[in-house]
Amino acid sequence: MDTVALEPSLYTVKAVFILDNDGTRLLAKYYDPDFFPSMKEQKNFEKNVYNKTHKTDSEIAFLEGMTIVYKSSIDLFFYVVGSAQENELMLMSVLNCLFDSLSQMLRKNIEKRSVMENLDGVFLVVDEVIDGGVILESDPQQVIQKINFRTLSEPAYGFVLFDYITGNTEQQGDKSQKK
């Protein structure tokens, strides 16, 4: 029997996507350019995955030579895809981190409407957990801390710029009166 030893790789995640209860894509990120390079191929793969998984209670599936872990919420399905040789526990830790982080961010209201209203935050969570197929974080508390840091620090610059553009110089006047 001819066995091929695969080199270990940090690039464990091939794709992440969130589908609604009709199988329609809400969010998808594909990290391997050779893995379904066109939009048509990606949507076809997502449809096949949805058709295989939406009526089952299991958490793992093997389809088209890929390992797929998934979880469902009220009207959403969360999927993390890796190669056939990938460790299911690693993929499941990514899925759990993604789901738990979104649960905290959305105040345990993980449904289509809240995800769509906070899609920018959902993308931030995905980007904090996975970068280019490499798992960066598996602790939801760390992800939420990083997201909160970004969202709390960014508006300050926006207000400074807004004040500058509008000519609001109240704080500058206060400084000059104290001198």
Side-chain angles (χ1 to χ4, degrees), residues 4-142:
V4 177
L6 296 173
E7 290 290 321
S9 174
L10 291 175
Y11 300 97
T12 56
V13 178
K14 300 287 185 190
V16 172
F17 49 92
I18 301 173
L19 306 178
D20 68 5
N21 57 354
D22 297 324
T24 305
R25 175 194 285 193
L26 300 181
L27 174 144
K29 290 192 92 169
Y30 286 80
Y31 299 105
D32 187 350
D34 299 328
F35 178 67
F36 305 116
S38 73
M39 180 75 73
K40 184 177 180 181
E41 291 173 323
Q42 291 174 3
K43 289 199 173 197
N44 190 34
F45 175 70
E46 292 165 12
K47 183 177 181 178
N48 290 341
V49 169
Y50 176 77
N51 288 336
K52 182 172 182 173
T53 61
H54 79 283
K55 293 183 181 176
T56 63
D57 290 333
S58 61
E59 298 177 336
I60 188 167
F62 297 97
L63 182 68
E64 299 182 23
M66 296 290 148
T67 303
I68 304 160
V69 294
Y70 60 98
K71 184 179 280 198
S72 65
S73 185
I74 298 167
D75 57 354
L76 298 175
F77 291 87
F78 296 82
Y79 296 93
V80 176
V81 181
S83 68
Q85 297 81 22
E86 201 53 61
N87 185 336
E88 296 88 3
L89 295 175
M90 291 288 289
L91 296 175
M92 189 56 81
S93 72
V94 171
L95 179 63
N96 287 334
C97 180
L98 177 67
F99 189 84
D100 294 344
S101 298
L102 290 175
S103 179
Q104 288 180 17
M105 185 183 85
L106 299 173
R107 295 177 181 87
K108 303 205 184 294
N109 188 24
I110 301 182
E111 60 182 12
K112 182 178 178 179
R113 185 180 57 80
S114 61
V115 166
M116 294 305 289
E117 289 174 354
N118 298 289
L119 199 55
D120 56 342
V122 175
F123 271 106
L124 278 174
V125 168
V126 171
D127 289 342
E128 286 297 330
V129 176
I130 307 159
D131 183 26
V134 177
I135 301 170
L136 297 178
E137 189 62 65
S138 61
D139 181 12
Q141 296 299 325
Q142 292 294 322

